[in-house]
Amino acid sequence: MKVTVEVDCTPLEARQFFGLPDVQPMQERVMKELEDKMMENMERYSPEGLMKTWFSSMPQNAEWFRDLFSGVLDPARSKKT
């Protein structure tokens, strides 16, 4: 014998039926907090912010980037050195 039961309900209705807690308010608070933290740190991950971080840690990085980009833009110059 084969019995098939089809239940048509929303996820919220299924959670309520099985007695599971409603976690939607908690999820909304967590997502809001995550969004706030991301927006606070957005400046740090902008191109300007990344360049400041890279160049402030090691001043020679600026020279390395300059040499790298000058070699890419002028291939003849990079072969001379």
Side-chain angles (χ1 to χ4, degrees), residues 46-78:
S46 69
E48 295 86 13
L50 287 173
M51 290 299 213
K52 286 179 187 175
T53 303
W54 292 344
F55 294 145
S56 68
S57 63
M58 289 191 219
Q60 65 268 25
N61 281 351
E63 295 173 15
W64 182 81
F65 272 109
R66 186 192 67 219
D67 294 342
L68 175 71
F69 287 119
S70 66
V72 169
L73 297 175
D74 186 11
R77 181 178 172 200
S78 65

Side-chain angles (χ1 to χ4, degrees), residues 7-76:
V7 178
D8 184 23
C9 66
T10 66
L12 177 61
E13 292 170 338
R15 282 193 301 269
Q16 289 173 344
F17 177 77
F18 288 110
L20 298 173
D22 183 16
V23 294
Q24 187 174 0
M26 181 183 67
Q27 286 175 332
E28 289 173 359
R29 286 193 307 269
V30 168
M31 291 306 293
K32 178 67 174 143
E33 186 175 329
L34 182 62
E35 181 183 1
D36 292 343
K37 285 183 181 182
M38 285 177 63
M39 295 309 287
E40 287 175 9
N41 293 319
M42 189 65 71
E43 178 61 32
R44 196 184 304 173
Y45 297 108
S46 69
E48 295 86 13
L50 287 173
M51 290 299 213
K52 286 179 187 175
T53 303
W54 292 344
F55 294 145
S56 68
S57 63
M58 289 191 219
Q60 65 268 25
N61 281 351
E63 295 173 15
W64 182 81
F65 272 109
R66 186 192 67 219
D67 294 342
L68 175 71
F69 287 119
S70 66
V72 169
L73 297 175
D74 186 11

